[in-house]
Amino acid sequence: MRQLRLAKDAMDRDWADPELDLRAVAAHAGYSRYHFIRAFKETYGETPGQYLTHRRIERAEEMLRTANLSVTEICHLVGFSSVGTFSARFKAWTGLTPSGYRARHVGRGAALIPGCYAMLWAGGFRAGAEQARRSNS
């Protein structure tokens, strides 16, 4: 059980990493990939992939309500590499498309956080800065 909690903590910490690898998380917990999936589902009621998707969708919901970022920017910030997959999973989880969710929830509270601040806070500029640094080398 302790190893499963450590693996779950790793997913909670690194949820935004699109390269988060199930094999590495399972190895961190000391399980084979398939045994890890079974044990995680038995303990938490969902597979590690479902758990990670739900964490990412929850973060996306928050960003859609509070940040002035495009759906594509939010998609990438929460760890999805495909806008289509993000939109499909978001709709399956919330019943709304990301744009529909934003339309329903924005305007009920404080003003949206400017996108540049949200990107800086989420670390969204790191990849672009790293890429620019490499191309200048």
Side-chain angles (χ1 to χ4, degrees):
M1 182 70 170
R2 181 178 182 271
Q3 288 83 2
L4 288 175
R5 274 195 305 255
L6 291 173
K8 185 174 174 269
D9 289 345
M11 287 190 286
D12 286 338
R13 182 185 58 244
D14 300 328
W15 57 267
D17 183 359
E19 300 296 320
L20 188 59
D21 182 33
L22 179 62
R23 189 178 335 259
V25 174
H28 183 70
Y31 289 95
S32 72
R33 181 179 175 186
Y34 298 105
H35 184 65
F36 176 67
I37 292 170
R38 284 191 301 274
F40 193 94
K41 184 170 184 174
E42 185 177 302
T43 303
Y44 296 109
E46 59 187 348
T47 67
Q50 290 168 332
Y51 178 80
L52 185 58
T53 296
H54 294 160
R55 292 301 137 278
R56 288 174 171 171
I57 296 298
E58 287 172 354
R59 298 323 188 275
E61 287 177 308
E62 181 181 341
M63 287 184 184
L64 286 164
R65 286 191 310 267
T66 61
N68 188 18
L69 295 167
S70 72
V71 170
T72 302
E73 290 169 326
I74 292 171
C75 163
H76 294 293
L77 283 173
V78 298
F80 285 92
S81 55
S82 163
V83 176
T85 300
F86 168 66
S87 295
R89 298 244 171 101
F90 190 93
K91 185 171 182 177
W93 180 252
T94 65
L96 297 166
T97 65
S99 298
Y101 183 90
R102 173 176 274 161
R104 178 176 284 179
H105 291 87
V106 168
R108 294 183 170 186
L112 292 177
I113 298 167
C116 58
Y117 289 112
M119 291 284 284
L120 184 64
W121 175 80
F125 292 122
R126 282 183 282 181
E130 180 68 23
Q131 205 171 40
R133 189 175 57 90
R134 284 185 193 153
S135 66
N136 290 336
S137 301

